[in-house]
Amino acid sequence: MKQDIILAGVGGQGILSIAAVIDLAALHGGLEIRQAEVHGMSQRGGAVESHLRLSDRPIHSDLIARGTADLLISVEPLEALRHRPFLAAAGRLVTAMEPVVNMEGYPPMEEVRRELLRSGRPVLVEAHRIAIGCGSQKASNMVVLGAAAPFIAIPPERIEAAIGELFRRKGAEVVDMNIRAFQRGLEASQEQAASCEGPTTSETA
């Protein structure tokens, strides 16, 4: 088994927390992990990218070549488009659809969405709305992780256990909120995949 995952977003959106959860779940599953992080800007709001490689055999490189990633998980839609060239032909794209307008000339969301829909069967999730329903917009990264869970080569229950482990020091309330967010993202992804033909979207969930 080998899986290459690109994580993308901007600073402050919790990309590294997503990576940490997947890392913990993979370790508990006896998998090898390689991770490389690239921060486009040091301040909050700058582009953040992480390469995450999972395998049941030794991994010799931290970086994922363009056109070879199995999965792209993004917490910002334009960053999803920027990193789409990393995806293999059969790769899957999962992204939050709330923009972080951190530059001049940010394209209209109608154009961004139209381009994302050309990515095979993308999962486009209203992560902020779902997270607020779970207790806080801060949990939107866990919503996105939940939406991506069906495509990660780790059982969702193991990912959920890793969320509990990662957030344990912040208290039971924070753990419960993040697990709820993960579960809601997972449910949205599964429901839409089962009921929709063509592109998968939770924007009407």
Side-chain angles (χ1 to χ4, degrees), residues 6-10 13 15 18 47-50 72-83 94-95 144:
I6 295 288
L7 306 177
V10 300
Q13 289 191 297
I15 280 290
I18 292 176
V48 179
E49 169 190 312
S50 183
L72 167 58
I73 303 173
S74 179
V75 291
E76 207 282 335
L78 189 58
E79 289 302 312
L81 278 183
R82 287 205 318 114
H83 289 82
V94 179
T95 185
V144 175

Side-chain angles (χ1 to χ4, degrees), residues 157-184:
E157 58 269 19
R158 188 169 291 152
I159 299 174
E160 185 175 313
I163 293 171
E165 183 175 346
L166 182 69
F167 291 102
R168 185 179 301 145
R169 63 184 176 82
K170 295 187 176 182
E173 186 175 341
V174 173
V175 169
D176 290 345
M177 177 184 67
N178 281 282
I179 287 177
R180 283 197 305 274
F182 172 80
Q183 291 172 341
R184 283 290 293 113

